[in-house]
Amino acid sequence: MKRLLTAMTVLALVCLTSAVAMAGTTLTYANFPPAQTFPCVQMERWKTEVEKRTEGAVSVQTFPGSTLLGPKNMMRGVMTGQADIGCLSLAYYPGVYPAMSVVNLPVAFTSTEVASLVMWDIFVKYQPKEMKNVKVLTMFTSAPSHVMSKKPIKTLADLEGLELRASGTILQILQNLGAQGVGMPMSQTPEALQKGVVNGLVSSFDVLKDMNFAEICRYETITNLPVYPFAVVMNKARFDSLPEDVKKTLDDLGREQAAWTGRYLDDYTSQALAWSKEKYQVEVLELTDAEHAEIKTKSADLVEAWKEQATKAGYDADALLADMLALKAKYEAEIGN
Ligand code: 3IO
């Protein structure tokens, strides 16, 4: 009888333990663009890795397409705990993230993996105070930006007065080039293109396929404009409440996830462009070397404007920019561009 009781106690304990493990922790993760876009692809990869590495102790419930939080209330929503985790496009908050916006400058990134690793390293080194209220889980960028438009941009002069959707520093570059930049999040762009509020956009080529912009924007002009910076942030109290081993798993994934996302997007943008040529016969337009030089000259004042802003926020802007460029050179030598 005594033995039976012991066996039953052990069984009960085993059940209880596994029930607790099964109940585990569920983290909600909000994202603003549609599920098929790269910020959501990286979200699903992160979910898979976390669930695997914590052996099910943590499960992640993902909410793509602004179903939990939208592009403009992401940071606030995470800070107030409406979502545990959120994916933030920093370019949608002008002036709010001066340190990390350094990777949004016109410095001619050609590799998303390089840009994403540079962004992560700058974050680790500077620990910007404007992100102190949240736990930063990873960072990454979009691929270099090009013009996708309804009408062909055969020369830079064709940009004159053209309404193009963009965000962040690219808006200023467009203005310097005579175009009409219109600031809005990616998730509002399909409607603006449909309604004719804008006649194109400036972003990376993944969206030709994932947002089906190839259908409406048949002309793609190679401009090599800046990448857009993203940060994945978590409610700080929620992070602090996690067991130490789980915290370590999430910490260990930060840099790796940045590199993974960069590599994924580098690979994917060429696939998306090939798909667009095949499906919609989109035309890729190249500018001359002189025109690329003109874009560069007309973007130069942005660096000065950024420095002013970063200095006002208390950063050593020259050092920050120099660090960013040194990291860019280091990773381009390591990874290629
Ligand atoms: C982007 C944003 C959301 C979904 C897919 C995307 N591909 C490139 C970007 C960058 C961008 O244009 C933006 O608004 O952050």
Side-chain angles (χ1 to χ4, degrees), residues 32-33 37-39 89 92 142 165 186 203-204 206-207 228 230:
F32 65 94
T37 60
F38 92 90
S89 171
Y92 301 169
S142 63
R165 174 271 160 189
M186 180 58 76
S203 186
S204 46
D206 48 292
V207 292
Y228 288 81
F230 291 77

Side-chain angles (χ1 to χ4, degrees), residues 282-296:
V282 303
E283 197 178 325
V284 176
L285 300 152
E286 300 274 358
L287 298 171
T288 63
D289 289 348
E291 286 174 309
H292 281 290
E294 187 179 339
I295 294 178
K296 207 171 159 187

